Amino acid sequence: MNRRQFLKLGATALAAATAVRYVPTTFAAQKPRRVGLIGTGWYGKSALFRLLQVEPVEVVSLCDPDSRMLNEAADMVAERQPSKKRPRLYKDFREMLRERDLDIVMVSTPDHWHCLPMIEACRAGADVWVEKPIGVDVVECQSMVAAARKYNRVVQVNTQRRSTPHLVEARDRFIREGRLGRIGLVEVYCYYHMRTRENPPDTAPPEHLDWEWWTGPAPMRPFNRLIHPRGWRNFMEYGNGIVGDMCIHMFDMVRWMLDLGWPKRISSSGGILVDKQSKANITDTQTATFDYGDLVVVWTHRTYGHAPDPQYPWGATFYGDRGTLKASIMSYDFIPQGGGEPVHKDVTYELEQYPEDKTERDLERHVAPALRRHWRNFLEAVDQRSRPVADIEQGAISSACCILANLSMQLGRSLTWDPQNWRVVGDDEANRLLRRPYRAPWSHPEPDKV
């Protein structure tokens, strides 16, 4: 038995014994992977700390235009990582990536900053973990797939519903076994009151924030405390509204559960119908239809009123001729047609295995097990040079479909999609909108020039 075989057998045995920990299975993985994080806000740190729970990586670089947030993150990382070393700090992700010493780069910025750092990380030879939606326009999404393939990088999109334990169980137990029968409709929805209703005045940015750099390729608008930190999703300049934030999670989950690719047609309607006084410019009411021909997926959100089912304010309901399945981040419920025993399952917590989950500030404790499983899947794909469960191409389909829904609403008509050519069929006006203008000096990426 050679050294590689011995290590692989030992790691396999350890994985079987511990189950909850990811164990590298290659000789190369003995050396700690070097990690860099771009975007040190709430979700970037949450995802990074879950990685530190499953493998003793070395976080060597952090990047953010908010120096206060950056330094706070550096202190937290130094406390948590095995080496206790404080990472190097950067404002410019290009300087961080120019070192070319990172195995994994996390892109956890606001949406308008996902594309350029991800492509640059691929060029620098790193594998990438990127938040959803992967881009703010369709051509960004296409270019990100092209970069991952050109540079042969493993890219995992943080659509972690694909790794949520109780949702994996629901897919395997009810959908794959055919217990819903023929499914004709899936409703996906969000009724959270997550859109701000405030209208504070614009101000000068705080001294610790480089507002020019934070804005980057997005349109320049005055700083407002509603934007940073954590409020930028209220503004279309930096994302794609609630469809780009919440719909993508549930739509991607449905695609994964039912093994769906691109829809044939996408349509959407809605707008700001109720709250016309706040500074936010994203819709408070919107419906989108993703038409697969013999299956329709319909999204609805509104930021006022009550949820039809208080137990499922954000989720998906699969309607089949043999049963109904409700699925969310917190639970699932299977209701068989015509009698039979319903089945309920709650979210899986791992608070005893990972006691730090109990005290971590702002952690979504119900999401932590999914993030850990998502990381394990990514690390295994990196070791094997294979496609992870939320490969960049899958993220591009889900992201672009949500972006196209917003374009359909903007144009007031349905869009027929040609996935081979990444074009809307017979609609020059829609095709011109597949690419958002970039603010100088930034240049929009193109899929054939990444």
Side-chain angles (χ1 to χ4, degrees), residues 358-391:
K358 299 177 183 179
T359 57
E360 184 174 314
R361 187 182 66 187
D362 293 335
L363 173 65
E364 294 178 316
R365 292 177 179 84
H366 56 283
V367 179
L371 285 172
R372 284 187 284 266
R373 182 168 177 153
H374 215 48
W375 272 118
R376 294 185 195 106
N377 173 265
F378 174 62
L379 296 173
E380 289 165 2
V382 167
D383 286 348
Q384 298 165 10
R385 308 315 299 169
S386 60
R387 303 274 173 89
V389 67
D391 175 63

Side-chain angles (χ1 to χ4, degrees), residues 37-47 63-64 69 73 108 228-230:
L37 169 63
I38 305 172
T40 59
W42 166 48
Y43 230 78
K45 293 195 295 290
S46 291
C63 179
D64 202 291
M69 188 177 291
S108 300
H228 178 80
R230 293 179 62 168

Side-chain angles (χ1 to χ4, degrees), residues 174 178-182 318-325 334-343:
F174 302 105
R179 294 175 67 180
L180 270 67
R182 186 173 182 84
F318 300 76
Y319 295 97
D321 60 2
R322 294 180 57 196
T324 299
L325 175 67
F334 171 68
I335 306 99
Q337 187 75 23
E341 192 68 26
V343 180

Side-chain angles (χ1 to χ4, degrees), residues 17 29 32 43 54 62 71 76 102 204 240 316 331 344 347 365 375 380-381 391 394 398 402 408 424 427:
Y43 230 78
V54 300
L62 300 177
N71 277 281
M76 296 172 74
L102 299 173
N240 274 281
S331 62
H344 173 82
V347 63
R365 292 177 179 84
W375 272 118
E380 289 165 2
D391 175 63
Q394 297 302 318
S398 296
C402 291
S408 170
V424 180
D427 196 328

